Amino acid sequence: MSFFKKLKEAISAKTEAVTSKFIGGLAKTRDAFGKVGELFTLRKKIDEAFFEELEEILIGADVGVNTVMELIDELRDEVKKRKIEDPAELQPILSEKLTDMLRGNGEEAGLNSNPNGITVILFVGVNGVGKTTTIGKLAWRYKQQGKNVLLAAGDTFRAGAIEQLEVWGQRVSVDVIKQHSGSDPAAVMFDAVQAAKQRNVDVLICDTAGRLQNKSNLMEELSKIHRVIQREIPGAPHETLLVLDATTGQNALQQAKLFGEKSGVTGLVLTKLDGTAKGGIVIAIRNELALPVKFVGLGEKMDDLQEFDADQFVHALFAGFVQDEEPQDESQ
């Protein structure tokens, strides 16, 4: 059975609505990857010019230089090993390798939870990446599951950040624990944990500053927040999610490296994938960092925050090729 056939079967076992979200949300990135399809279809032989053009297309789609070089080397090896001459035969091999990269070590895409009490999820990331919006959508998602949710307004330095979180709290009918602007973020977290205990909350979602307007170090502040939460709820936070704006491409990769090394990040959220042709950055980030992508933002609607799914992602990039491959499989 071909890779595309297996991918199609894997997708068919999942809800059509989710598949539509990925296909619609990755439309611009799919256009960028369409050049890959054209290359495999139009080229008649695999030579150095073929690999150079493929390399150029993938780098242009923001897959990342290091990841592209790794992919090209692996494809060269496959060509030699399998004695492949037709470029079309490489298309499913590339797609399979991309899927494997996105799966990483096979971590579950879903969020870790606390089976014995309050689940605490900490959000980090620079300003402007869609952190507060993501928090609101995740709170809504938990509410749909019947969970009792509470928000903590720990971004006390950015003008309007507390108010922005309150707006989301009202929108999804979730209370927000806050102090005045400029307050100690760790003190807000302490208050939020106490409130969560008193109210029998299932999930506490905490916002944090993207930068500080004083001389203190952001990473030190995040470490302090971690210590306060851990002291009150052993084992918490159960997730520290770094939010990245996919439209910033390679800059998002640099942010992931900085935060991932110093702030205890356990997973990533890639926002605004629907607004960019640079969705290949998901592949670069997943391959270069030992961090799972937990969620992706595929639109403005409340349910457009979707759990990341490697099969859905690659299917959305090469949806046309999945259909094209089917008749060939059936005639074999």
Side-chain angles (χ1 to χ4, degrees):
M1 184 186 294
S2 77
F3 169 75
F4 282 142
K5 187 77 170 178
K6 286 187 285 187
L7 184 63
K8 191 81 179 291
E9 288 188 359
I11 295 303
S12 68
K14 298 165 185 176
T15 67
E16 189 175 322
V18 171
T19 299
S20 297
K21 293 281 184 192
F22 273 86
I23 290 175
L26 290 169
K28 292 184 178 180
T29 296
R30 183 164 57 255
D31 289 343
F33 272 80
K35 295 175 184 177
V36 174
E38 291 174 7
L39 177 66
F40 282 106
T41 303
L42 299 177
R43 286 292 185 127
K44 300 304 178 187
K45 65 176 181 176
I46 299 172
D47 54 15
E48 195 56 36
F50 169 85
F51 282 118
E52 286 178 3
E53 191 171 345
L54 178 59
E55 181 182 306
E56 187 177 323
I57 293 168
L58 291 174
I59 290 174
D62 254 45
V63 174
V65 175
N66 293 337
T67 300
V68 171
M69 295 304 169
E70 185 179 327
L71 279 167
I72 296 296
D73 286 345
E74 290 182 7
L75 289 176
R76 288 180 189 275
D77 290 343
E78 292 291 342
V79 167
K80 289 178 183 176
K81 187 166 64 179
R82 304 191 194 190
K83 296 182 171 56
I84 298 171
E85 296 181 0
D86 183 357
E89 292 181 44
L90 267 185
Q91 171 70 50
I93 295 172
L94 171 63
S95 301
E96 188 168 10
K97 289 188 179 298
L98 290 175
T99 305
D100 289 342
M101 280 185 170
L102 289 166
R103 286 193 184 124
N105 295 323
E107 301 99 330
E108 289 295 320
L111 299 180
N112 294 317
S113 61
N114 181 6
N116 303 311
I118 304 165
T119 295
V120 182
I121 301 171
L122 195 65
F123 274 82
V124 301
V126 302
N127 295 338
V129 294
K131 186 152 44 84
T132 311
T133 299
T134 301
I135 289 171
K137 289 180 178 180
L138 183 61
W140 178 84
R141 188 183 182 93
Y142 275 121
K143 287 274 289 185
Q144 298 304 110
Q145 297 170 9
K147 303 287 187 184
N148 185 8
V149 184
L150 188 65
L151 303 181
D155 186 357
T156 61
F157 297 97
R158 180 170 62 88
I162 297 171
E163 291 78 9
Q164 186 183 0
L165 192 66
E166 284 186 298
V167 168
W168 270 104
Q170 292 166 7
R171 192 176 297 175
V172 299
S173 301
V174 170
D175 289 341
V176 178
I177 302 301
K178 63 174 183 175
Q179 290 188 14
H180 60 80
S181 182
S183 298
D184 179 1
V188 177
M189 297 306 169
F190 178 82
D191 287 352
V193 170
Q194 301 311 312
K197 289 178 177 178
Q198 292 166 9
R199 303 181 192 188
N200 294 318
V201 162
D202 298 308
V203 183
L204 172 62
I205 305 177
C206 308
D207 193 10
T208 66
R211 66 184 178 88
L212 302 183
Q213 293 172 324
N214 54 32
K215 293 182 180 178
S216 64
N217 183 283
L218 176 59
M219 298 307 167
E220 289 175 7
E221 188 65 52
L222 292 173
S223 294
K224 183 179 174 184
I225 288 170
H226 267 265
R227 289 195 300 273
V228 168
I229 294 173
Q230 285 169 355
R231 188 174 66 232
E232 299 302 314
I233 302 177
H238 303 93
E239 290 278 6
T240 299
L241 301 179
L242 173 61
V243 183
L244 300 167
D245 180 345
T247 66
T248 62
Q250 292 300 308
N251 189 38
L253 177 58
Q254 296 308 312
Q255 287 174 29
K257 287 178 178 177
L258 174 64
F259 275 89
E261 289 170 2
K262 300 183 178 180
S263 63
V265 170
T266 58
L268 306 171
V269 181
L270 271 293
T271 64
K272 310 178 190 179
L273 272 172
D274 59 307
T276 182
K278 298 180 178 181
I281 195 62
V282 179
I283 301 163
I285 289 172
R286 187 67 188 90
N287 187 51
E288 293 193 32
L289 302 174
L291 290 170
V293 178
K294 298 279 185 170
F295 284 91
V296 287
L298 300 171
E300 299 297 322
K301 295 177 183 175
M302 204 73 79
D303 61 349
D304 285 336
L305 180 69
Q306 289 288 326
E307 283 191 7
F308 182 72
D309 183 312
D311 290 336
Q312 294 279 18
F313 190 90
V314 173
H315 174 262
L317 291 184
F318 298 109
F321 294 101
V322 175
Q323 294 167 0
D324 291 343
E325 187 84 357
E326 243 182 25
Q328 296 174 18
D329 285 349
E330 289 170 359
S331 64
Q332 287 174 357

